[in-house]
Amino acid sequence: MELPNSILIVGGGVFGVSTALSLSERHPNKKIILIEASPTIPNPHGSSVDTSRIIRADYSNPAYAKLAADGIKKWRNTEWGQEGRYTENGLALLYTEGNSDSENYTKKSYENVKKLLEEEGESSESIAEKVVYLPNKAALEKVVPRYVAGMNISGGYLNRGSGWGDAEAGVRFAKKKLDEMARVDVKHGEVERLLFEEATSKVTGVIFKDTVNGTTSTITADLVILATGASTGRLLDLRGIVDATGQVLAYIKISDEEQAQLAHMPTILSFSTGIFIIPPRNNLLKIARHAYGYLNPSDVPIPGTSTASSSQTMRISLPVHDLPIPVEGERACRQALREMLPSFAERPFARTRICWYSDTPTGDFLITYHPSHPNLFLATGGSGHGYKFFPVLGDQIVDALEGRLDAELQQLWKWPEQRHITEAKEGEFVVTKDGSRSGKIGMILKDELAKSSRL
Ligand SMILES: Cc1cc2nc3c(=O)[nH]c(=O)nc-3n(C[C@H](O)[C@H](O)[C@H](O)COP(=O)(O)OP(=O)(O)OC[C@H]3O[C@@H](n4cnc5c(N)ncnc54)[C@H](O)[C@@H]3O)c2cc1C
């Protein structure tokens, strides 16, 4: 499919910047604009930016396992992973008894990573050395003795070929590449809304509020790509398709000695609690929870297709920043520390953060043309696992734009046949059931914070 001449990408995170890079490599003569609301890329509040992100091919779905393995090759062997942007320390994926979702996920994932190595011609001895099955806690204690002593774990495996990325440095590197190519016009400001042609519902551009001079203007384009992460629901009605969920992060300052002791540990991800610990860097230890997360129900105007602003509102979950984590989340982190790294369990948190996933019901990305708005394309729905694909994602997105995405990925990332009705407490919000989530479904952030203030 021939792409039009002027292309506007909204969003300067992993999805938007990788798209901009691949588009400008493949189509150097197109007019490409990238708009980012934050005054900087990396955006410190963006989901793509943090001290660390797990980089793993350990997926229960073979299509993601294969794509992630392609990504890891780039992290490992090209400049993407240099200067500390990628560290290969291994990942232990663990499950508990009675949690069949996580046991299934882990076992399928174990088979997938072994198969990928077989396909690459690795010998069975080499595979057994790299991917170590851990049938019980005793086996686990041998490979990650420091972490698992107090944990309620029944099995898992260690993949020595997985690693982690410095997620702020990764975005900075990709932006530098974009600047060096000098083919994309980067603007900083907020897209207030999309512009539609009334008769056809075709998207013709955006209303843009410039951060630098405060002016509001119209930017037209032949194709608009929304890579707006967890905030996408503000610009387009994605009820039942994508919702923002807030996830808990906490950071602890550690000494030089502790840094040296922990730096080379594998990352550990316990499906029983969703808690994961990535080895520290620069004396900062991060503890995080991969869960159903908090919802932030917000009433916003239904994005219309007419020029007049809509008087009707809809309730969706949207990101909110600079809030403390609820006591519920803090307790979960401390409990996990008591089990995994007891000597840190009572240390003060140097800082905490609620970071926002852009969640779909299945955990699959949403990378597709909009079915009823010509010239509008979505590249979002990261669902808490998009970072690792950074070096290969843009090419997939441009393949989808050109109508030649691999059929399996196309099926996973398509516009859903129906909007998903959920079991969340308030309203109808997306619940991600990809087998990897833990915790309570449907926690409302403001309620959890209110409980915290009463304690
Ligand atoms: C806590 C946490 C842990 C994670 N852990 C992992 C992990 O271990 N491994 C992994 O692979 N992935 C992980 N992920 C997922 C991964 O980080 C995300 O899938 C990915 O970064 C999402 O990228 P994005 O471009 O969609 O979103 P973002 O990085 O949020 O980018 C979207 C950008 O769009 C901009 N924007 C939004 N609305 C507008 C507007 N109206 N106008 C202009 N600009 C706008 C925003 O300012 C933002 O910068 C994690 C995510 C979180 C939150």
Side-chain angles (χ1 to χ4, degrees), residues 95-110:
Y95 60 85
T96 44
E97 207 170 325
N99 188 341
S100 59
D101 270 2
S102 61
E103 184 170 345
N104 288 340
Y105 190 102
T106 310
K107 286 183 171 166
K108 280 189 197 157
S109 164
Y110 170 71

Side-chain angles (χ1 to χ4, degrees), residues 97-214:
E97 207 170 325
N99 188 341
S100 59
D101 270 2
S102 61
E103 184 170 345
N104 288 340
Y105 190 102
T106 310
K107 286 183 171 166
K108 280 189 197 157
S109 164
Y110 170 71
E111 293 303 331
N112 285 337
V113 284
K114 278 200 322 179
K115 192 155 172 261
L116 283 168
L117 291 171
E118 270 162 34
E119 284 166 5
E120 282 170 15
E122 298 250 0
S123 68
S124 47
E125 294 74 37
S126 155
I127 296 174
E129 167 63 23
K130 285 183 179 161
V131 186
V132 188
Y133 187 59
L134 305 165
N136 51 40
K137 193 165 163 180
L140 261 163
E141 272 169 346
K142 281 195 192 138
V143 291
V144 279
R146 208 183 156 116
Y147 283 166
V148 295
M151 280 174 87
N152 168 24
I153 288 297
S154 51
Y157 72 94
L158 172 71
N159 182 355
R160 297 190 203 278
S162 296
W164 65 274
D166 177 334
E168 179 169 354
V171 178
R172 196 178 299 288
F173 165 77
K175 172 62 169 42
K176 187 161 160 271
K177 260 169 92 79
L178 205 59
D179 290 343
E180 283 164 3
M181 286 165 83
R183 290 183 194 149
V184 175
D185 177 9
V186 180
K187 295 183 187 297
H188 290 278
E190 192 176 342
V191 165
E192 294 188 332
R193 62 185 173 87
L194 296 172
L195 288 171
F196 298 89
E197 190 179 80
E198 289 215 25
T200 59
S201 284
K202 186 166 93 176
V203 169
T204 55
V206 301
I207 300 289
F208 169 68
K209 183 156 186 213
D210 196 308
T211 312
V212 181
N213 56 25

Side-chain angles (χ1 to χ4, degrees), residues 275 363 382 416:
I275 298 282

Side-chain angles (χ1 to χ4, degrees), residues 254-264 280-284:
I254 60 173
S255 67
D256 290 344
E257 197 188 344
E258 290 162 341
Q259 168 70 39
Q261 283 167 358
L262 295 177
H264 304 293
R281 177 169 290 169
N282 299 334
N283 300 54
L284 206 55

Side-chain angles (χ1 to χ4, degrees), residues 10-16 35-38 43 45-50 52-55 59 189-192 227-231 235 247 249 276 278 286 355-358 379-380 382-389:
V10 190
V14 162
F15 281 68
I35 296 180
E36 166 52 49
S38 160
N43 166 13
H45 289 303
S47 308
S48 306
V49 176
D50 193 5
S52 52
R53 291 280 182 259
I54 301 174
I55 294 180
Y59 272 91
E190 192 176 342
V191 165
E192 294 188 332
T228 32
S231 299
L235 296 171
Q247 309 287 333
L249 298 176
F276 59 98
I278 300 176
K286 178 176 110 175
C355 186
W356 294 87
Y357 287 178
S358 160
T380 186
S383 302
H385 66 109
Y387 182 81
K388 66 185 68 62
F389 300 102

